[in-house]
mmCIF file of all heavy atoms in Angstrom:
data_model
loop_
_atom_site.group_PDB
_atom_site.id
_atom_site.type_symbol
_atom_site.label_atom_id
_atom_site.label_comp_id
_atom_site.label_asym_id
_atom_site.label_seq_id
_atom_site.Cartn_x
_atom_site.Cartn_y
_atom_site.Cartn_z
ATOM 1 N N LEU A 81 -52.451 20.496 89.425
ATOM 2 C CA LEU A 81 -51.936 20.345 90.791
ATOM 3 C C LEU A 81 -51.375 21.702 91.235
ATOM 4 O O LEU A 81 -50.174 21.953 91.158
ATOM 5 C CB LEU A 81 -50.862 19.253 90.797
ATOM 6 C CG LEU A 81 -50.336 18.734 92.124
ATOM 7 C CD1 LEU A 81 -51.457 18.410 93.096
ATOM 8 C CD2 LEU A 81 -49.489 17.484 91.906
ATOM 9 N N ASN A 124 -52.553 14.226 90.414
ATOM 10 C CA ASN A 124 -51.823 13.115 91.021
ATOM 11 C C ASN A 124 -50.349 13.404 91.228
ATOM 12 O O ASN A 124 -49.782 13.045 92.260
ATOM 13 C CB ASN A 124 -51.939 11.884 90.123
ATOM 14 C CG ASN A 124 -53.202 11.092 90.390
ATOM 15 O OD1 ASN A 124 -53.282 10.407 91.406
ATOM 16 N ND2 ASN A 124 -54.184 11.217 89.525
ATOM 17 N N GLY A 125 -49.712 14.008 90.248
ATOM 18 C CA GLY A 125 -48.255 14.158 90.308
ATOM 19 C C GLY A 125 -47.768 15.032 89.173
ATOM 20 O O GLY A 125 -48.343 16.106 88.918
ATOM 21 N N GLY A 126 -46.736 14.552 88.483
ATOM 22 C CA GLY A 126 -46.048 15.356 87.472
ATOM 23 C C GLY A 126 -46.945 15.971 86.401
ATOM 24 O O GLY A 126 -46.797 17.149 86.074
ATOM 25 N N LEU A 127 -47.880 15.182 85.866
ATOM 26 C CA LEU A 127 -48.726 15.668 84.772
ATOM 27 C C LEU A 127 -49.585 16.862 85.206
ATOM 28 O O LEU A 127 -49.719 17.849 84.483
ATOM 29 C CB LEU A 127 -49.593 14.512 84.257
ATOM 30 C CG LEU A 127 -50.650 14.785 83.192
ATOM 31 C CD1 LEU A 127 -50.787 13.563 82.278
ATOM 32 C CD2 LEU A 127 -51.998 15.096 83.815
ATOM 33 N N ARG A 129 -48.982 18.813 87.882
ATOM 34 C CA ARG A 129 -48.130 19.940 88.283
ATOM 35 C C ARG A 129 -47.599 20.660 87.032
ATOM 36 O O ARG A 129 -47.455 21.883 87.034
ATOM 37 C CB ARG A 129 -46.987 19.437 89.180
ATOM 38 C CG ARG A 129 -46.078 20.522 89.734
ATOM 39 C CD ARG A 129 -46.828 21.634 90.477
ATOM 40 N NE ARG A 129 -46.491 22.931 89.934
ATOM 41 C CZ ARG A 129 -47.035 24.092 90.338
ATOM 42 N NH1 ARG A 129 -47.960 24.112 91.281
ATOM 43 N NH2 ARG A 129 -46.692 25.204 89.779
ATOM 44 N N ASP A 279 -51.859 7.102 89.140
ATOM 45 C CA ASP A 279 -50.825 7.765 88.372
ATOM 46 C C ASP A 279 -50.251 6.710 87.430
ATOM 47 O O ASP A 279 -49.862 5.647 87.873
ATOM 48 C CB ASP A 279 -49.729 8.266 89.332
ATOM 49 C CG ASP A 279 -48.846 9.306 88.687
ATOM 50 O OD1 ASP A 279 -49.383 10.289 88.171
ATOM 51 O OD2 ASP A 279 -47.618 9.130 88.729
ATOM 52 N N ILE A 475 -40.368 23.921 84.647
ATOM 53 C CA ILE A 475 -40.996 24.258 85.939
ATOM 54 C C ILE A 475 -40.970 25.773 86.098
ATOM 55 O O ILE A 475 -40.075 26.431 85.566
ATOM 56 C CB ILE A 475 -40.232 23.607 87.110
ATOM 57 C CG1 ILE A 475 -38.753 23.998 87.070
ATOM 58 C CG2 ILE A 475 -40.389 22.088 87.069
ATOM 59 C CD1 ILE A 475 -37.979 23.635 88.313
ATOM 60 N N TRP A 480 -40.785 27.561 92.291
ATOM 61 C CA TRP A 480 -39.800 26.523 92.651
ATOM 62 C C TRP A 480 -38.413 27.065 92.985
ATOM 63 O O TRP A 480 -37.485 26.308 93.189
ATOM 64 C CB TRP A 480 -39.756 25.435 91.579
ATOM 65 C CG TRP A 480 -41.065 24.708 91.496
ATOM 66 C CD1 TRP A 480 -41.952 24.746 90.462
ATOM 67 C CD2 TRP A 480 -41.673 23.872 92.511
ATOM 68 N NE1 TRP A 480 -43.066 23.975 90.762
ATOM 69 C CE2 TRP A 480 -42.918 23.436 92.001
ATOM 70 C CE3 TRP A 480 -41.280 23.450 93.800
ATOM 71 C CZ2 TRP A 480 -43.784 22.603 92.734
ATOM 72 C CZ3 TRP A 480 -42.136 22.613 94.522
ATOM 73 C CH2 TRP A 480 -43.363 22.202 93.983
ATOM 74 N N ILE A 556 -38.511 12.187 96.193
ATOM 75 C CA ILE A 556 -39.904 12.626 96.330
ATOM 76 C C ILE A 556 -40.597 12.537 94.983
ATOM 77 O O ILE A 556 -40.192 13.172 94.033
ATOM 78 C CB ILE A 556 -39.994 14.079 96.878
ATOM 79 C CG1 ILE A 556 -38.960 14.995 96.224
ATOM 80 C CG2 ILE A 556 -39.826 14.084 98.395
ATOM 81 C CD1 ILE A 556 -39.042 16.446 96.676
ATOM 82 N N LYS A 557 -41.650 11.742 94.914
ATOM 83 C CA LYS A 557 -42.390 11.505 93.672
ATOM 84 C C LYS A 557 -43.427 10.435 93.962
ATOM 85 O O LYS A 557 -43.376 9.787 95.018
ATOM 86 C CB LYS A 557 -41.448 11.038 92.554
ATOM 87 C CG LYS A 557 -40.510 9.906 92.994
ATOM 88 C CD LYS A 557 -39.481 9.521 91.933
ATOM 89 C CE LYS A 557 -38.370 10.510 91.775
ATOM 90 N NZ LYS A 557 -38.504 11.388 90.619
ATOM 91 N N ARG A 558 -44.367 10.220 93.034
ATOM 92 C CA ARG A 558 -45.319 9.142 93.250
ATOM 93 C C ARG A 558 -44.571 7.815 93.423
ATOM 94 O O ARG A 558 -43.485 7.613 92.865
ATOM 95 C CB ARG A 558 -46.289 9.051 92.059
ATOM 96 C CG ARG A 558 -47.346 10.143 92.092
ATOM 97 C CD ARG A 558 -48.214 10.084 93.338
ATOM 98 N NE ARG A 558 -49.060 8.930 93.330
ATOM 99 C CZ ARG A 558 -50.354 8.945 93.048
ATOM 100 N NH1 ARG A 558 -50.971 10.088 92.770
ATOM 101 N NH2 ARG A 558 -51.061 7.829 93.050
ATOM 102 N N TYR A 562 -41.506 1.713 88.484
ATOM 103 C CA TYR A 562 -40.569 2.224 87.473
ATOM 104 C C TYR A 562 -39.701 3.350 88.034
ATOM 105 O O TYR A 562 -38.598 3.585 87.555
ATOM 106 C CB TYR A 562 -41.305 2.646 86.190
ATOM 107 C CG TYR A 562 -41.844 4.057 86.143
ATOM 108 C CD1 TYR A 562 -40.993 5.135 85.886
ATOM 109 C CD2 TYR A 562 -43.199 4.318 86.346
ATOM 110 C CE1 TYR A 562 -41.490 6.426 85.831
ATOM 111 C CE2 TYR A 562 -43.707 5.599 86.285
ATOM 112 C CZ TYR A 562 -42.841 6.659 86.033
ATOM 113 O OH TYR A 562 -43.328 7.931 85.999
ATOM 114 N N LYS A 563 -40.150 4.026 89.090
ATOM 115 C CA LYS A 563 -39.356 5.086 89.716
ATOM 116 C C LYS A 563 -38.339 4.520 90.725
ATOM 117 O O LYS A 563 -37.436 5.205 91.177
ATOM 118 C CB LYS A 563 -40.280 6.095 90.388
ATOM 119 C CG LYS A 563 -41.126 6.898 89.390
ATOM 120 C CD LYS A 563 -42.101 7.812 90.112
ATOM 121 C CE LYS A 563 -42.993 8.620 89.175
ATOM 122 N NZ LYS A 563 -42.311 9.801 88.586
ATOM 123 N N TYR A 637 -47.046 13.532 100.948
ATOM 124 C CA TYR A 637 -46.272 14.314 99.983
ATOM 125 C C TYR A 637 -47.226 15.066 99.052
ATOM 126 O O TYR A 637 -48.174 14.505 98.514
ATOM 127 C CB TYR A 637 -45.343 13.404 99.161
ATOM 128 C CG TYR A 637 -44.555 14.184 98.139
ATOM 129 C CD1 TYR A 637 -43.718 15.214 98.541
ATOM 130 C CD2 TYR A 637 -44.689 13.936 96.783
ATOM 131 C CE1 TYR A 637 -43.014 15.965 97.604
ATOM 132 C CE2 TYR A 637 -43.989 14.676 95.838
ATOM 133 C CZ TYR A 637 -43.163 15.697 96.267
ATOM 134 O OH TYR A 637 -42.488 16.445 95.343
ATOM 135 N N ARG A 638 -46.966 16.344 98.898
ATOM 136 C CA ARG A 638 -47.821 17.224 98.085
ATOM 137 C C ARG A 638 -47.024 18.464 97.745
ATOM 138 O O ARG A 638 -45.879 18.590 98.188
ATOM 139 C CB ARG A 638 -49.088 17.580 98.878
ATOM 140 C CG ARG A 638 -48.808 18.362 100.174
ATOM 141 C CD ARG A 638 -50.003 18.300 101.124
ATOM 142 N NE ARG A 638 -49.823 19.142 102.293
ATOM 143 C CZ ARG A 638 -49.035 18.869 103.343
ATOM 144 N NH1 ARG A 638 -48.287 17.769 103.356
ATOM 145 N NH2 ARG A 638 -48.973 19.688 104.365
ATOM 146 N N VAL A 639 -47.598 19.404 97.004
ATOM 147 C CA VAL A 639 -46.837 20.569 96.552
ATOM 148 C C VAL A 639 -46.259 21.345 97.737
ATOM 149 O O VAL A 639 -45.074 21.696 97.753
ATOM 150 C CB VAL A 639 -47.703 21.482 95.656
ATOM 151 C CG1 VAL A 639 -46.998 22.810 95.381
ATOM 152 C CG2 VAL A 639 -48.027 20.786 94.335
ATOM 153 N N SER A 640 -47.070 21.605 98.757
ATOM 154 C CA SER A 640 -46.577 22.450 99.856
ATOM 155 C C SER A 640 -45.464 21.755 100.653
ATOM 156 O O SER A 640 -44.605 22.420 101.228
ATOM 157 C CB SER A 640 -47.724 22.886 100.774
ATOM 158 O OG SER A 640 -48.354 21.775 101.353
ATOM 159 N N ALA A 642 -43.331 19.577 99.162
ATOM 160 C CA ALA A 642 -42.206 19.666 98.212
ATOM 161 C C ALA A 642 -41.490 21.002 98.386
ATOM 162 O O ALA A 642 -40.253 21.068 98.359
ATOM 163 C CB ALA A 642 -42.709 19.506 96.784
ATOM 164 N N ILE A 646 -37.435 20.595 99.037
ATOM 165 C CA ILE A 646 -36.519 20.845 97.922
ATOM 166 C C ILE A 646 -35.383 21.820 98.270
ATOM 167 O O ILE A 646 -34.218 21.555 97.940
ATOM 168 C CB ILE A 646 -37.322 21.271 96.666
ATOM 169 C CG1 ILE A 646 -38.069 20.046 96.121
ATOM 170 C CG2 ILE A 646 -36.426 21.908 95.609
ATOM 171 C CD1 ILE A 646 -39.145 20.345 95.094
ATOM 172 N N GLU A 653 -32.664 12.039 94.052
ATOM 173 C CA GLU A 653 -32.716 10.666 93.519
ATOM 174 C C GLU A 653 -33.652 10.607 92.318
ATOM 175 O O GLU A 653 -34.874 10.780 92.453
ATOM 176 C CB GLU A 653 -33.221 9.705 94.607
ATOM 177 C CG GLU A 653 -32.349 9.640 95.857
ATOM 178 C CD GLU A 653 -31.160 8.683 95.726
ATOM 179 O OE1 GLU A 653 -31.102 7.921 94.734
ATOM 180 O OE2 GLU A 653 -30.296 8.700 96.616
ATOM 181 N N GLN A 654 -33.077 10.352 91.128
ATOM 182 C CA GLN A 654 -33.862 10.290 89.876
ATOM 183 C C GLN A 654 -33.468 9.005 89.173
ATOM 184 O O GLN A 654 -32.739 9.017 88.184
ATOM 185 C CB GLN A 654 -33.578 11.531 89.029
ATOM 186 C CG GLN A 654 -33.749 12.851 89.777
ATOM 187 C CD GLN A 654 -35.171 13.079 90.310
ATOM 188 O OE1 GLN A 654 -36.145 12.497 89.800
ATOM 189 N NE2 GLN A 654 -35.312 13.914 91.326
ATOM 190 N N GLU A 661 -39.261 6.776 82.413
ATOM 191 C CA GLU A 661 -39.712 8.097 82.893
ATOM 192 C C GLU A 661 -39.708 9.050 81.700
ATOM 193 O O GLU A 661 -38.651 9.331 81.125
ATOM 194 C CB GLU A 661 -38.766 8.611 83.974
ATOM 195 C CG GLU A 661 -39.177 9.930 84.624
ATOM 196 C CD GLU A 661 -40.308 9.785 85.629
ATOM 197 O OE1 GLU A 661 -40.030 9.517 86.813
ATOM 198 O OE2 GLU A 661 -41.476 9.922 85.219
ATOM 199 N N SER A 663 -40.183 12.327 81.343
ATOM 200 C CA SER A 663 -39.335 13.500 81.536
ATOM 201 C C SER A 663 -38.898 13.606 82.991
ATOM 202 O O SER A 663 -37.721 13.558 83.320
ATOM 203 C CB SER A 663 -40.090 14.776 81.144
ATOM 204 O OG SER A 663 -39.433 15.906 81.655
ATOM 205 N N GLY A 664 -39.917 13.702 83.873
ATOM 206 C CA GLY A 664 -39.652 14.092 85.253
ATOM 207 C C GLY A 664 -39.594 15.607 85.300
ATOM 208 O O GLY A 664 -39.158 16.273 84.342
ATOM 209 N N THR A 665 -40.060 16.168 86.395
ATOM 210 C CA THR A 665 -39.910 17.605 86.656
ATOM 211 C C THR A 665 -39.359 17.822 88.062
ATOM 212 O O THR A 665 -38.759 18.860 88.335
ATOM 213 C CB THR A 665 -41.247 18.360 86.520
ATOM 214 O OG1 THR A 665 -42.241 17.674 87.288
ATOM 215 C CG2 THR A 665 -41.682 18.438 85.066
ATOM 216 N N GLY A 666 -39.528 16.823 88.928
ATOM 217 C CA GLY A 666 -38.934 16.885 90.264
ATOM 218 C C GLY A 666 -37.419 17.020 90.156
ATOM 219 O O GLY A 666 -36.790 17.790 90.894
ATOM 220 N N ASN A 667 -36.843 16.299 89.200
ATOM 221 C CA ASN A 667 -35.404 16.394 88.938
ATOM 222 C C ASN A 667 -34.979 17.851 88.711
ATOM 223 O O ASN A 667 -33.949 18.307 89.206
ATOM 224 C CB ASN A 667 -35.020 15.479 87.762
ATOM 225 C CG ASN A 667 -35.959 15.613 86.549
ATOM 226 O OD1 ASN A 667 -36.876 16.443 86.548
ATOM 227 N ND2 ASN A 667 -35.741 14.774 85.541
ATOM 228 N N LYS A 669 -36.620 20.708 89.693
ATOM 229 C CA LYS A 669 -36.824 21.531 90.887
ATOM 230 C C LYS A 669 -35.635 21.383 91.844
ATOM 231 O O LYS A 669 -35.145 22.363 92.411
ATOM 232 C CB LYS A 669 -38.103 21.111 91.628
ATOM 233 C CG LYS A 669 -39.382 21.229 90.841
ATOM 234 C CD LYS A 669 -40.524 20.497 91.550
ATOM 235 C CE LYS A 669 -41.704 20.280 90.628
ATOM 236 N NZ LYS A 669 -42.666 19.293 91.176
HETATM 237 C C1 PLP B 1 -42.998 18.069 90.771
HETATM 238 C C2 PLP B 1 -43.963 17.208 91.483
HETATM 239 C C3 PLP B 1 -44.172 15.898 91.060
HETATM 240 C C4 PLP B 1 -43.413 15.267 89.908
HETATM 241 O O1 PLP B 1 -42.240 14.697 90.407
HETATM 242 P P1 PLP B 1 -41.371 13.655 89.541
HETATM 243 O O2 PLP B 1 -40.176 13.414 90.373
HETATM 244 O O3 PLP B 1 -41.050 14.342 88.256
HETATM 245 O O4 PLP B 1 -42.220 12.454 89.355
HETATM 246 C C5 PLP B 1 -45.071 15.116 91.761
HETATM 247 N N1 PLP B 1 -45.730 15.603 92.830
HETATM 248 C C6 PLP B 1 -45.544 16.857 93.269
HETATM 249 C C7 PLP B 1 -46.284 17.322 94.471
HETATM 250 C C8 PLP B 1 -44.659 17.705 92.614
HETATM 251 O O5 PLP B 1 -44.500 18.958 93.059
#
Side-chain angles (χ1 to χ4, degrees):
L81 190 47
N124 275 286
L127 175 147
R129 184 54 234 177
D279 197 53
I475 55 169
W480 296 112
I556 42 177
K557 48 185 74 258
R558 284 299 291 257
Y562 87 78
K563 293 176 181 281
Y637 179 59
R638 62 198 186 284
V639 170
S640 61
I646 288 167
E653 299 276 350
Q654 308 299 337
E661 184 76 88
S663 164
T665 50
N667 47 3
K669 300 167 195 166

